[in-house]
Amino acid sequence: MLKQDAVNLAIVVVALLGATVLMTDRAPEDWRFAGYFLVAYLLIMMVQWVWRTRRHE
């Protein structure tokens, strides 16, 4: 399960960086938004991981 989570995270990071580079003028606020999105995604992944591990105990 952890391997699949790592793959999903890598896909999201690459897509987010690609979208920020290709579709914006790369202003600091664009990178800040990308950072906020990534932090929110990491928090959601962490909650899901805790939920799954607690449910299987």
Side-chain angles (χ1 to χ4, degrees):
M1 218 28 135
L2 193 58
K3 185 177 179 180
Q4 184 62 38
D5 291 338
V7 170
N8 289 342
L9 178 61
I11 290 170
V12 168
V13 168
V14 168
L16 186 60
L17 290 176
T20 302
V21 168
L22 296 175
M23 301 184 74
T24 67
D25 58 357
R26 293 180 285 289
E29 58 270 4
D30 295 332
W31 290 106
R32 191 174 316 120
F33 176 76
Y36 291 154
F37 183 85
L38 189 57
V39 168
Y41 183 78
L42 287 172
L43 287 173
I44 291 169
M45 277 186 64
M46 185 176 64
V47 168
Q48 286 179 341
W49 180 76
V50 168
W51 179 267
R52 281 190 304 226
T53 56
R54 298 275 183 199
R55 197 171 51 166
H56 290 294
E57 288 181 353

